[in-house]
Amino acid sequence: MTTEEATTARARPEPIKAVPVRHPGRWIAVAVLAVLTAMFVHLLVTNKAFNWSFMVDKMFRPPIIEGLLRGTVLMTVSAMLIGVTLGVVIAVMRLSDNPILRGVAWLYTWFFRAVPRLVLLAVFGNIGILWSRVEFGVPFDTQLGQLFGIDNLQLRLFGFSSRDILTGFMAGLLGLALSEAAYMAEIVRAGIQSVDPGQTEAAQALGLSRGQLLRRVVLPQAMRVIIPPTGNETIAMLKDTSLLLYVPVSVELFFQLDAVGKRTFQIFPMYVAACLWYLFLTSILLVGQYFLERHFGKGYGTSGRARMRLRGMTAEAGGSAGVVK
Amino acid sequence: MPTQATAPTAGSDLMVRAEQVHKSFGPLEVLKGIDLEVRAGEVCCLLGPSGSGKSTFLRCINHLEKIDAGRIWVDGDLIGYRERGGKLHEMRDREVAAQRRAIGMVFQRFNLFPHMTVLGNVTEAPLLLRQEKKAQARERAAELLERVGLGDKLGAYPGQLSGGQQQRVAIARALAMRPKLMLFDEPTSALDPELVGEVLDTMKDLARDGMTMIVVTHEIGFAREVGDHLVFMDGGVVVEQGDPREVIAAPKHERTQAFLAKVL
């Protein structure tokens, strides 16, 4: 008590006016970087190999825009949709009590993560060699027919020619989506396992079924852990659509730019154009990821704490705090 | 709030009956034959040193833990199994879940759903499971929250509340399912000392309204004041039980004496 009174009674000392610590290193770094930047800009402007006017002229041509919209954007969206959905299924299988489902899920992730995506796409581009037609119906129908003495029994509902669905876009989509599902399964599994087991118990104690507690309690909380790496996966997927060159998928951004480059012998400018397009598209995704993360962070971490701080401040100011409506 | 009128089961008003309950985790036998009877409207306090198996026993009552031997009945229904032709059949997840709906549980660490508002936490299960209308569920949730003294926090997230407030929301969440039995697993052990009182007051209030409660606790004062029955457990067995005031004032067994001497 006495010390407190003493400090308040004494006059406030003068504010500190000290000489700040100098940072000469920072100035040197600025100077070095300024020189390097100047050199880079000089290169961009003066080097004829860039052939800027040619590049700008070609990079907005209709086939390239179509490749961008279908082969890159649509492919990324479709592959991620299938990949995430299948990934959730595989993750849930992986965490299931059923040892067979667990084993199958493990085998799936093992295979698709062990084979490089480029190789996988090349395989899927040629997978049509296995069947001339893809048909849906009763499996082993001819064999079953033979068992009962019926020759060439066909129990098929519908089918497609392999040339129609196991080439180009569909083969590429299949390759990317299946491979993505394996990575997503691991991400989703980590997310589900990150949720406090007490949450599951509380939901069980209330009488929620397994499906309900997964859907309403565990997955929404797992989202916080799942979203950031999924954003990265989406960005990686967008870039990996350039691998479709090896399926091959012709209606695709990099295929088209590469083709223009090879046809005109202006390969380097078209590769720079590819860099610029991918930079542009990825930047858009980064913005989207920011908003998604903010949405799923509700009730946690910084935003929650910021709100708490705000309440604390109004309380100190004598306002009626705590009336959160 | 009155407890739900429980259908009088054949010749008894027992809410919980446990017979020779055994439970092991691997080689460790945690429960070595627990017998317990709790009448409807009674407050039963489970006391004992940590590791005595009281929390485990509580979790067996709503089948969060599977028991290895013995039987537990809640309101006349065998928990977790169906007896048919002298043989026990395991219940499906769905049936176990249905049994749990009549048993509310409050945890030491609250376990509120952090991604839902207070109102969302309380209305979630009634909306999903009782198929209540949204307006009706909200109204009842608001009533319950008013009752636990949190009528002004409907829109807050659990992370913005103090521990005591969170635990009171957890109580309201359990009550929203209109349980006939409430289980409390050390409800005040994770709280700062000055927040314990508000949670205990809420529980006293509930006991006064005639809710059947089983409370695992270290709060001797609560057991003495509110408890109708006290069970002292140690080493996986019931060492002593009886009227809380008598047991606390004059424990007969030496282990009860030793424990009470330490906590009083």
Side-chain angles (χ1 to χ4, degrees), chain A residues 216-244:
Chain A
R216 301 285 310 174
V217 176
V218 176
L219 278 179
Q221 294 185 62
M223 281 302 179
R224 244 173 79 253
V225 176
I226 294 172
I227 290 292
T230 304
N232 291 337
E233 286 295 310
T234 310
I235 291 166
M237 176 59 77
L238 187 115
K239 294 185 289 181
D240 281 358
T241 53
S242 58
L243 300 177
L244 294 172

PDB file of all heavy atoms in Angstrom, chain A residues 216-244:
ATOM      1  N   ARG A 216     -21.915 -32.693 -38.074  1.00  0.00           N
ATOM      2  CA  ARG A 216     -22.275 -31.452 -37.393  1.00  0.00           C
ATOM      3  C   ARG A 216     -21.217 -30.973 -36.409  1.00  0.00           C
ATOM      4  O   ARG A 216     -21.134 -29.781 -36.123  1.00  0.00           O
ATOM      5  CB  ARG A 216     -23.604 -31.643 -36.632  1.00  0.00           C
ATOM      6  CG  ARG A 216     -24.771 -32.035 -37.507  1.00  0.00           C
ATOM      7  CD  ARG A 216     -25.272 -30.880 -38.294  1.00  0.00           C
ATOM      8  NE  ARG A 216     -25.506 -29.705 -37.455  1.00  0.00           N
ATOM      9  CZ  ARG A 216     -25.832 -28.529 -37.930  1.00  0.00           C
ATOM     10  NH1 ARG A 216     -25.967 -28.346 -39.216  1.00  0.00           N
ATOM     11  NH2 ARG A 216     -26.013 -27.522 -37.119  1.00  0.00           N
ATOM     12  N   VAL A 217     -20.436 -31.900 -35.860  1.00  0.00           N
ATOM     13  CA  VAL A 217     -19.505 -31.503 -34.797  1.00  0.00           C
ATOM     14  C   VAL A 217     -18.048 -31.638 -35.228  1.00  0.00           C
ATOM     15  O   VAL A 217     -17.268 -30.696 -35.128  1.00  0.00           O
ATOM     16  CB  VAL A 217     -19.770 -32.328 -33.511  1.00  0.00           C
ATOM     17  CG1 VAL A 217     -18.742 -31.996 -32.444  1.00  0.00           C
ATOM     18  CG2 VAL A 217     -21.178 -32.060 -32.990  1.00  0.00           C
ATOM     19  N   VAL A 218     -17.674 -32.815 -35.750  1.00  0.00           N
ATOM     20  CA  VAL A 218     -16.247 -33.052 -35.990  1.00  0.00           C
ATOM     21  C   VAL A 218     -15.757 -32.373 -37.272  1.00  0.00           C
ATOM     22  O   VAL A 218     -14.793 -31.607 -37.248  1.00  0.00           O
ATOM     23  CB  VAL A 218     -15.945 -34.570 -36.016  1.00  0.00           C
ATOM     24  CG1 VAL A 218     -14.497 -34.807 -36.369  1.00  0.00           C
ATOM     25  CG2 VAL A 218     -16.256 -35.189 -34.661  1.00  0.00           C
ATOM     26  N   LEU A 219     -16.451 -32.621 -38.393  1.00  0.00           N
ATOM     27  CA  LEU A 219     -15.950 -32.062 -39.663  1.00  0.00           C
ATOM     28  C   LEU A 219     -15.893 -30.528 -39.660  1.00  0.00           C
ATOM     29  O   LEU A 219     -14.901 -29.962 -40.110  1.00  0.00           O
ATOM     30  CB  LEU A 219     -16.772 -32.577 -40.844  1.00  0.00           C
ATOM     31  CG  LEU A 219     -16.364 -33.964 -41.351  1.00  0.00           C
ATOM     32  CD1 LEU A 219     -17.254 -34.417 -42.502  1.00  0.00           C
ATOM     33  CD2 LEU A 219     -14.914 -33.998 -41.801  1.00  0.00           C
ATOM     34  N   PRO A 220     -16.945 -29.829 -39.151  1.00  0.00           N
ATOM     35  CA  PRO A 220     -16.825 -28.366 -39.145  1.00  0.00           C
ATOM     36  C   PRO A 220     -15.606 -27.883 -38.374  1.00  0.00           C
ATOM     37  O   PRO A 220     -14.995 -26.883 -38.749  1.00  0.00           O
ATOM     38  CB  PRO A 220     -18.109 -27.904 -38.452  1.00  0.00           C
ATOM     39  CG  PRO A 220     -19.071 -29.002 -38.615  1.00  0.00           C
ATOM     40  CD  PRO A 220     -18.262 -30.268 -38.641  1.00  0.00           C
ATOM     41  N   GLN A 221     -15.223 -28.594 -37.307  1.00  0.00           N
ATOM     42  CA  GLN A 221     -14.043 -28.179 -36.546  1.00  0.00           C
ATOM     43  C   GLN A 221     -12.770 -28.619 -37.250  1.00  0.00           C
ATOM     44  O   GLN A 221     -11.753 -27.935 -37.187  1.00  0.00           O
ATOM     45  CB  GLN A 221     -14.086 -28.770 -35.146  1.00  0.00           C
ATOM     46  CG  GLN A 221     -15.219 -28.207 -34.330  1.00  0.00           C
ATOM     47  CD  GLN A 221     -15.181 -28.711 -32.900  1.00  0.00           C
ATOM     48  OE1 GLN A 221     -14.231 -28.471 -32.170  1.00  0.00           O
ATOM     49  NE2 GLN A 221     -16.216 -29.411 -32.508  1.00  0.00           N
ATOM     50  N   ALA A 222     -12.840 -29.760 -37.918  1.00  0.00           N
ATOM     51  CA  ALA A 222     -11.677 -30.236 -38.671  1.00  0.00           C
ATOM     52  C   ALA A 222     -11.372 -29.277 -39.817  1.00  0.00           C
ATOM     53  O   ALA A 222     -10.222 -29.123 -40.217  1.00  0.00           O
ATOM     54  CB  ALA A 222     -11.940 -31.639 -39.197  1.00  0.00           C
ATOM     55  N   MET A 223     -12.430 -28.598 -40.320  1.00  0.00           N
ATOM     56  CA  MET A 223     -12.263 -27.665 -41.438  1.00  0.00           C
ATOM     57  C   MET A 223     -11.151 -26.655 -41.192  1.00  0.00           C
ATOM     58  O   MET A 223     -10.433 -26.288 -42.105  1.00  0.00           O
ATOM     59  CB  MET A 223     -13.564 -26.880 -41.668  1.00  0.00           C
ATOM     60  CG  MET A 223     -14.591 -27.654 -42.417  1.00  0.00           C
ATOM     61  SD  MET A 223     -13.900 -28.157 -43.998  1.00  0.00           S
ATOM     62  CE  MET A 223     -15.269 -29.049 -44.645  1.00  0.00           C
ATOM     63  N   ARG A 224     -11.039 -26.213 -39.941  1.00  0.00           N
ATOM     64  CA  ARG A 224     -10.030 -25.211 -39.625  1.00  0.00           C
ATOM     65  C   ARG A 224      -8.637 -25.729 -39.966  1.00  0.00           C
ATOM     66  O   ARG A 224      -7.774 -24.994 -40.411  1.00  0.00           O
ATOM     67  CB  ARG A 224     -10.085 -24.906 -38.139  1.00  0.00           C
ATOM     68  CG  ARG A 224     -10.476 -23.517 -37.823  1.00  0.00           C
ATOM     69  CD  ARG A 224     -10.665 -23.344 -36.351  1.00  0.00           C
ATOM     70  NE  ARG A 224      -9.422 -23.193 -35.629  1.00  0.00           N
ATOM     71  CZ  ARG A 224      -8.891 -24.128 -34.847  1.00  0.00           C
ATOM     72  NH1 ARG A 224      -9.479 -25.280 -34.707  1.00  0.00           N
ATOM     73  NH2 ARG A 224      -7.780 -23.904 -34.213  1.00  0.00           N
ATOM     74  N   VAL A 225      -8.438 -27.009 -39.748  1.00  0.00           N
ATOM     75  CA  VAL A 225      -7.146 -27.620 -40.036  1.00  0.00           C
ATOM     76  C   VAL A 225      -7.076 -28.026 -41.507  1.00  0.00           C
ATOM     77  O   VAL A 225      -6.014 -28.029 -42.104  1.00  0.00           O
ATOM     78  CB  VAL A 225      -6.938 -28.844 -39.115  1.00  0.00           C
ATOM     79  CG1 VAL A 225      -5.655 -29.576 -39.426  1.00  0.00           C
ATOM     80  CG2 VAL A 225      -6.950 -28.393 -37.667  1.00  0.00           C
ATOM     81  N   ILE A 226      -8.236 -28.352 -42.084  1.00  0.00           N
ATOM     82  CA  ILE A 226      -8.255 -28.861 -43.462  1.00  0.00           C
ATOM     83  C   ILE A 226      -8.130 -27.743 -44.496  1.00  0.00           C
ATOM     84  O   ILE A 226      -7.464 -27.909 -45.515  1.00  0.00           O
ATOM     85  CB  ILE A 226      -9.554 -29.674 -43.692  1.00  0.00           C
ATOM     86  CG1 ILE A 226      -9.554 -30.940 -42.824  1.00  0.00           C
ATOM     87  CG2 ILE A 226      -9.713 -30.043 -45.158  1.00  0.00           C
ATOM     88  CD1 ILE A 226     -10.856 -31.698 -42.842  1.00  0.00           C
ATOM     89  N   ILE A 227      -8.761 -26.600 -44.226  1.00  0.00           N
ATOM     90  CA  ILE A 227      -8.829 -25.545 -45.246  1.00  0.00           C
ATOM     91  C   ILE A 227      -7.465 -25.029 -45.728  1.00  0.00           C
ATOM     92  O   ILE A 227      -7.223 -25.012 -46.942  1.00  0.00           O
ATOM     93  CB  ILE A 227      -9.717 -24.363 -44.773  1.00  0.00           C
ATOM     94  CG1 ILE A 227     -11.184 -24.799 -44.731  1.00  0.00           C
ATOM     95  CG2 ILE A 227      -9.561 -23.130 -45.645  1.00  0.00           C
ATOM     96  CD1 ILE A 227     -11.799 -25.066 -46.077  1.00  0.00           C
ATOM     97  N   PRO A 228      -6.548 -24.640 -44.839  1.00  0.00           N
ATOM     98  CA  PRO A 228      -5.295 -24.079 -45.380  1.00  0.00           C
ATOM     99  C   PRO A 228      -4.553 -25.039 -46.308  1.00  0.00           C
ATOM    100  O   PRO A 228      -4.211 -24.643 -47.428  1.00  0.00           O
ATOM    101  CB  PRO A 228      -4.491 -23.743 -44.123  1.00  0.00           C
ATOM    102  CG  PRO A 228      -5.494 -23.619 -43.040  1.00  0.00           C
ATOM    103  CD  PRO A 228      -6.595 -24.572 -43.369  1.00  0.00           C
ATOM    104  N   PRO A 229      -4.323 -26.312 -45.932  1.00  0.00           N
ATOM    105  CA  PRO A 229      -3.645 -27.190 -46.886  1.00  0.00           C
ATOM    106  C   PRO A 229      -4.472 -27.475 -48.145  1.00  0.00           C
ATOM    107  O   PRO A 229      -3.901 -27.729 -49.200  1.00  0.00           O
ATOM    108  CB  PRO A 229      -3.386 -28.477 -46.099  1.00  0.00           C
ATOM    109  CG  PRO A 229      -4.198 -28.395 -44.881  1.00  0.00           C
ATOM    110  CD  PRO A 229      -4.510 -26.967 -44.625  1.00  0.00           C
ATOM    111  N   THR A 230      -5.811 -27.414 -48.022  1.00  0.00           N
ATOM    112  CA  THR A 230      -6.632 -27.624 -49.222  1.00  0.00           C
ATOM    113  C   THR A 230      -6.456 -26.465 -50.191  1.00  0.00           C
ATOM    114  O   THR A 230      -6.438 -26.649 -51.402  1.00  0.00           O
ATOM    115  CB  THR A 230      -8.113 -27.785 -48.844  1.00  0.00           C
ATOM    116  OG1 THR A 230      -8.231 -28.849 -47.916  1.00  0.00           O
ATOM    117  CG2 THR A 230      -8.957 -28.094 -50.064  1.00  0.00           C
ATOM    118  N   GLY A 231      -6.304 -25.263 -49.622  1.00  0.00           N
ATOM    119  CA  GLY A 231      -5.997 -24.102 -50.466  1.00  0.00           C
ATOM    120  C   GLY A 231      -4.698 -24.328 -51.213  1.00  0.00           C
ATOM    121  O   GLY A 231      -4.607 -24.116 -52.427  1.00  0.00           O
ATOM    122  N   ASN A 232      -3.697 -24.821 -50.495  1.00  0.00           N
ATOM    123  CA  ASN A 232      -2.413 -25.111 -51.137  1.00  0.00           C
ATOM    124  C   ASN A 232      -2.579 -26.176 -52.212  1.00  0.00           C
ATOM    125  O   ASN A 232      -1.984 -26.097 -53.279  1.00  0.00           O
ATOM    126  CB  ASN A 232      -1.400 -25.604 -50.105  1.00  0.00           C
ATOM    127  CG  ASN A 232      -1.006 -24.502 -49.162  1.00  0.00           C
ATOM    128  OD1 ASN A 232      -1.134 -23.324 -49.486  1.00  0.00           O
ATOM    129  ND2 ASN A 232      -0.548 -24.875 -47.990  1.00  0.00           N
ATOM    130  N   GLU A 233      -3.402 -27.200 -51.894  1.00  0.00           N
ATOM    131  CA  GLU A 233      -3.636 -28.277 -52.862  1.00  0.00           C
ATOM    132  C   GLU A 233      -4.297 -27.724 -54.119  1.00  0.00           C
ATOM    133  O   GLU A 233      -3.983 -28.149 -55.228  1.00  0.00           O
ATOM    134  CB  GLU A 233      -4.534 -29.360 -52.252  1.00  0.00           C
ATOM    135  CG  GLU A 233      -3.835 -30.240 -51.243  1.00  0.00           C
ATOM    136  CD  GLU A 233      -2.736 -31.085 -51.866  1.00  0.00           C
ATOM    137  OE1 GLU A 233      -2.992 -31.748 -52.894  1.00  0.00           O
ATOM    138  OE2 GLU A 233      -1.613 -31.059 -51.344  1.00  0.00           O
ATOM    139  N   THR A 234      -5.256 -26.801 -53.938  1.00  0.00           N
ATOM    140  CA  THR A 234      -5.941 -26.225 -55.091  1.00  0.00           C
ATOM    141  C   THR A 234      -4.953 -25.466 -55.966  1.00  0.00           C
ATOM    142  O   THR A 234      -4.968 -25.555 -57.189  1.00  0.00           O
ATOM    143  CB  THR A 234      -7.072 -25.293 -54.631  1.00  0.00           C
ATOM    144  OG1 THR A 234      -7.866 -25.973 -53.679  1.00  0.00           O
ATOM    145  CG2 THR A 234      -7.927 -24.863 -55.808  1.00  0.00           C
ATOM    146  N   ILE A 235      -4.076 -24.713 -55.308  1.00  0.00           N
ATOM    147  CA  ILE A 235      -3.082 -23.953 -56.060  1.00  0.00           C
ATOM    148  C   ILE A 235      -2.129 -24.914 -56.777  1.00  0.00           C
ATOM    149  O   ILE A 235      -1.805 -24.731 -57.953  1.00  0.00           O
ATOM    150  CB  ILE A 235      -2.327 -22.999 -55.109  1.00  0.00           C
ATOM    151  CG1 ILE A 235      -3.283 -21.897 -54.656  1.00  0.00           C
ATOM    152  CG2 ILE A 235      -1.108 -22.411 -55.787  1.00  0.00           C
ATOM    153  CD1 ILE A 235      -2.800 -21.085 -53.482  1.00  0.00           C
ATOM    154  N   ALA A 236      -1.727 -25.972 -56.067  1.00  0.00           N
ATOM    155  CA  ALA A 236      -0.850 -26.970 -56.688  1.00  0.00           C
ATOM    156  C   ALA A 236      -1.560 -27.635 -57.860  1.00  0.00           C
ATOM    157  O   ALA A 236      -0.960 -27.887 -58.906  1.00  0.00           O
ATOM    158  CB  ALA A 236      -0.439 -28.020 -55.658  1.00  0.00           C
ATOM    159  N   MET A 237      -2.867 -27.900 -57.678  1.00  0.00           N
ATOM    160  CA  MET A 237      -3.639 -28.530 -58.751  1.00  0.00           C
ATOM    161  C   MET A 237      -3.688 -27.637 -59.980  1.00  0.00           C
ATOM    162  O   MET A 237      -3.498 -28.095 -61.106  1.00  0.00           O
ATOM    163  CB  MET A 237      -5.059 -28.831 -58.243  1.00  0.00           C
ATOM    164  CG  MET A 237      -5.995 -29.391 -59.274  1.00  0.00           C
ATOM    165  SD  MET A 237      -5.421 -30.934 -59.986  1.00  0.00           S
ATOM    166  CE  MET A 237      -5.802 -32.070 -58.676  1.00  0.00           C
ATOM    167  N   LEU A 238      -3.922 -26.347 -59.733  1.00  0.00           N
ATOM    168  CA  LEU A 238      -3.979 -25.409 -60.853  1.00  0.00           C
ATOM    169  C   LEU A 238      -2.673 -25.458 -61.646  1.00  0.00           C
ATOM    170  O   LEU A 238      -2.664 -25.501 -62.871  1.00  0.00           O
ATOM    171  CB  LEU A 238      -4.224 -23.991 -60.319  1.00  0.00           C
ATOM    172  CG  LEU A 238      -4.463 -22.974 -61.417  1.00  0.00           C
ATOM    173  CD1 LEU A 238      -5.870 -22.445 -61.302  1.00  0.00           C
ATOM    174  CD2 LEU A 238      -3.465 -21.851 -61.355  1.00  0.00           C
ATOM    175  N   LYS A 239      -1.567 -25.518 -60.934  1.00  0.00           N
ATOM    176  CA  LYS A 239      -0.280 -25.561 -61.614  1.00  0.00           C
ATOM    177  C   LYS A 239      -0.058 -26.917 -62.290  1.00  0.00           C
ATOM    178  O   LYS A 239       0.513 -26.990 -63.373  1.00  0.00           O
ATOM    179  CB  LYS A 239       0.837 -25.269 -60.598  1.00  0.00           C
ATOM    180  CG  LYS A 239       0.761 -23.852 -60.074  1.00  0.00           C
ATOM    181  CD  LYS A 239       1.918 -23.504 -59.178  1.00  0.00           C
ATOM    182  CE  LYS A 239       1.822 -24.220 -57.854  1.00  0.00           C
ATOM    183  NZ  LYS A 239       2.932 -23.858 -56.961  1.00  0.00           N
ATOM    184  N   ASP A 240      -0.556 -27.973 -61.620  1.00  0.00           N
ATOM    185  CA  ASP A 240      -0.347 -29.317 -62.172  1.00  0.00           C
ATOM    186  C   ASP A 240      -1.197 -29.597 -63.407  1.00  0.00           C
ATOM    187  O   ASP A 240      -0.952 -30.583 -64.100  1.00  0.00           O
ATOM    188  CB  ASP A 240      -0.623 -30.383 -61.105  1.00  0.00           C
ATOM    189  CG  ASP A 240       0.561 -30.532 -60.157  1.00  0.00           C
ATOM    190  OD1 ASP A 240       1.563 -29.831 -60.383  1.00  0.00           O
ATOM    191  OD2 ASP A 240       0.480 -31.336 -59.215  1.00  0.00           O
ATOM    192  N   THR A 241      -2.203 -28.733 -63.679  1.00  0.00           N
ATOM    193  CA  THR A 241      -2.941 -28.952 -64.926  1.00  0.00           C
ATOM    194  C   THR A 241      -1.996 -28.820 -66.116  1.00  0.00           C
ATOM    195  O   THR A 241      -2.282 -29.348 -67.187  1.00  0.00           O
ATOM    196  CB  THR A 241      -4.096 -27.953 -65.082  1.00  0.00           C
ATOM    197  OG1 THR A 241      -3.586 -26.636 -64.937  1.00  0.00           O
ATOM    198  CG2 THR A 241      -5.196 -28.204 -64.074  1.00  0.00           C
ATOM    199  N   SER A 242      -0.853 -28.124 -65.924  1.00  0.00           N
ATOM    200  CA  SER A 242       0.107 -28.019 -67.032  1.00  0.00           C
ATOM    201  C   SER A 242       0.686 -29.389 -67.383  1.00  0.00           C
ATOM    202  O   SER A 242       1.152 -29.598 -68.499  1.00  0.00           O
ATOM    203  CB  SER A 242       1.216 -27.039 -66.661  1.00  0.00           C
ATOM    204  OG  SER A 242       1.858 -27.481 -65.485  1.00  0.00           O
ATOM    205  N   LEU A 243       0.625 -30.338 -66.423  1.00  0.00           N
ATOM    206  CA  LEU A 243       1.126 -31.690 -66.704  1.00  0.00           C
ATOM    207  C   LEU A 243       0.238 -32.428 -67.697  1.00  0.00           C
ATOM    208  O   LEU A 243       0.620 -33.469 -68.229  1.00  0.00           O
ATOM    209  CB  LEU A 243       1.211 -32.511 -65.413  1.00  0.00           C
ATOM    210  CG  LEU A 243       2.118 -31.993 -64.301  1.00  0.00           C
ATOM    211  CD1 LEU A 243       2.012 -32.891 -63.083  1.00  0.00           C
ATOM    212  CD2 LEU A 243       3.555 -31.953 -64.775  1.00  0.00           C
ATOM    213  N   LEU A 244      -0.976 -31.878 -67.936  1.00  0.00           N
ATOM    214  CA  LEU A 244      -1.902 -32.532 -68.867  1.00  0.00           C
ATOM    215  C   LEU A 244      -1.311 -32.620 -70.271  1.00  0.00           C
ATOM    216  O   LEU A 244      -1.797 -33.349 -71.119  1.00  0.00           O
ATOM    217  CB  LEU A 244      -3.233 -31.792 -68.906  1.00  0.00           C
ATOM    218  CG  LEU A 244      -4.039 -31.827 -67.594  1.00  0.00           C
ATOM    219  CD1 LEU A 244      -5.242 -30.915 -67.688  1.00  0.00           C
ATOM    220  CD2 LEU A 244      -4.482 -33.243 -67.288  1.00  0.00           C
TER     221      LEU A 244
END
